[in-house]
Amino acid sequence: MSIAVIGAGAFGTALAIALSTNGDRVALWARDADAVAQMTASRENTRRLAGVTFPDSLDVTARLQDVFACDVVLLAIPAQTLRGFLEEHRDALQGKALVSCCKGIDIETGHGPTDLIARIVPNSTPAMLTGPSFAADIARGLPTALTLACAHEAAGEMLQAVLSTPTLRLYRTTDVAGAQLGGALKNVMAIACGACMGAGFGESARAALMTRGFAEMKRLAAAFDGDPDTLAGLSGFGDLALTCTSDQSRNYRYGFAIGAGTDFDSTVTVEGAATAKAVSKLAEKLKIDLPICAVVTRLVDQEITAQQAMQLLLSRPLKEE
C-alpha cells in the first residue's frame, strides 16, 4: 500500500523516515521547491532534522500529484492550516485514508483534526496518529509508542498494520474524540507548565498543574463522549507527561519564555497557543470550567503575567478533588 506524508517539518520528516524503513516507498511532500532540492541532494532535512540520512526508499517531492496517487496520506501540517489544505484539495483526497498528525483545535470552527477531515472530505477514512513522541526520537529509530485513532475498526486495523514499524509501536482505538482532545489539550498544559518553570514556581507547582490540567482534559473529553481510559493512555496522560517536562517540546519552551520574560522564536509553530483560545471558546459555549486553559489564553494574549496567572489559580474557591 502506497504511503505519502504531507509536510516536511521535523515530525513529518521523521515519520517518512521511519515508515520508509519498512521497505515500502514513501513520498514526502514539501511546499518549498528549494527545500525539496536541498533534501534530494543531501538526503537529509538539514533545516528541520539535521543529521539523519534518508533511506533510499524515501522520495521527496514538491508535486502534489505524487501524493494524491497514494492510498494512505499522513497530514503532518499545523492544525490551524489543516482546514484550508483540506478545502483546497478535497476532490483529490476523496477515497483515501487520511491520517492527521497534528494536535490542536481549529480556532474558527472548534473542530479537531479528524472532525475536519470527516466534514470536508466525507468520502475518505479519517484517522489520527497521536501520543508522546519527539521527531528526533522517531527519526533515529528510538523506541516510540503512539495511538492510532480511527472510528472505523477495520480501517484502523489496516492502518495500524501499515504504519507500524519495528521501533514505532501503534496502539489502536476507536475513541477519536478522546484521542484528539487529549493530544490538543496537552499542548495547552505544556504552555502552563513551561510558564510555571520559567517563572521559578518550582517542580511541586508543575506537578499540580499537570494533575489539574489532566482533570480539565478529561472534563472536556467527557462532554464529547470521550472515554476516560483513552485520556489515561498514550494520547492523553502519556503525551502530557512528555510535553510538560521536556524542553524538546515547543509548547513547553514557549511557555517557559513567557514565564521568564524572554523572547521566543516567532517562526516556531506553537499549536497550544491557538488551541487554548479555541478551547476557551468551547468551554464558554458548553459551560465547562477549564481554569488552566483560561489563564493560558490570557497569558498568550499578554493580558496577564505568569505571577498573575498563578495567583488566579491559587485564589479559586476551595473544593473537593
Side-chain angles (χ1 to χ4, degrees):
M1 184 165 289
S2 53
I3 302 171
V5 178
I6 292 179
F11 196 66
T13 301
L15 287 173
I17 291 170
L19 294 171
S20 60
T21 60
N22 273 349
D24 298 322
R25 299 208 73 81
V26 175
L28 173 63
W29 178 83
R31 185 184 303 274
D32 187 340
D34 290 338
V36 170
Q38 174 268 309
M39 287 187 279
T40 301
S42 66
R43 299 303 296 167
E44 68 175 78
N45 188 342
T46 56
R47 298 183 186 181
R48 301 294 186 185
L49 201 61
V52 184
T53 302
F54 292 172
D56 292 339
S57 54
L58 195 164
D59 301 315
V60 188
T61 182
R63 292 160 36 95
L64 277 170
Q65 52 265 49
D66 295 336
V67 169
F68 298 150
C70 295
D71 304 304
V72 179
V73 179
L74 278 65
L75 298 159
I77 53 181
Q80 301 309 316
T81 63
L82 177 62
R83 177 166 52 90
F85 184 89
L86 292 171
E87 290 173 343
E88 183 178 357
H89 303 291
R90 71 176 80 210
D91 291 339
L93 293 170
Q94 296 287 354
K96 302 187 181 302
L98 302 179
V99 184
S100 170
C101 302
C102 59
K103 301 169 184 176
I105 302 294
D106 182 67
I107 197 167
E108 295 297 328
T109 65
H111 296 318
T114 50
D115 297 329
L116 290 173
I117 294 170
R119 283 169 168 78
I120 299 170
V121 194
N123 188 25
S124 69
T125 301
M128 183 174 191
L129 197 60
T130 184
S133 54
F134 289 137
D137 294 345
I138 293 176
R140 290 175 170 81
L142 299 180
T144 306
L146 297 175
T147 295
L148 188 284
C150 183
H152 305 286
E153 190 163 4
E157 291 176 356
M158 177 274 291
L159 289 170
Q160 182 184 36
V162 169
L163 301 178
S164 293
T165 78
T167 57
L168 184 60
R169 180 177 175 83
L170 303 187
Y171 288 84
R172 190 178 69 255
T173 182
T174 56
D175 180 20
V176 174
Q180 67 181 356
L181 286 172
L185 267 70
K186 64 89 187 178
N187 283 333
V188 180
M189 304 313 163
I191 293 175
C193 288
C196 168
M197 298 306 290
F201 295 145
E203 299 282 359
S204 298
R206 174 165 60 180
L209 278 173
M210 289 175 64
T211 306
R212 297 312 304 161
F214 185 55
E216 291 189 22
M217 291 164 61
K218 292 192 294 183
R219 200 175 301 149
L220 185 61
F224 290 90
D225 296 322
D227 187 338
D229 287 344
T230 304
L231 273 293
L234 293 165
S235 60
F237 177 77
D239 217 354
L240 180 73
L242 183 68
T243 53
C244 289
T245 58
S246 174
D247 61 9
Q248 288 191 66
S249 164
R250 293 168 296 179
N251 292 278
Y252 177 85
R253 294 199 310 272
Y254 174 70
F256 192 97
I258 291 175
T262 57
D263 293 332
F264 185 81
D265 185 355
S266 61
T267 66
V268 175
T269 300
V270 181
E271 298 280 31
T275 295
K277 298 178 183 181
V279 166
S280 293
K281 287 182 182 179
L282 277 177
E284 183 177 355
K285 178 181 177 181
L286 299 173
K287 296 183 174 15
I288 299 174
D289 189 26
L290 303 178
I292 298 175
C293 291
V295 299
V296 169
T297 298
R298 298 184 67 185
L299 279 173
V300 168
D301 287 339
Q302 299 182 332
E303 293 179 359
I304 57 174
T305 65
Q307 287 75 16
Q308 290 170 324
M310 186 58 71
Q311 186 56 42
L312 284 170
L313 293 174
L314 290 175
S315 62
R316 285 170 52 79
L318 300 176
K319 62 177 186 177
E320 290 185 344
E321 187 171 23

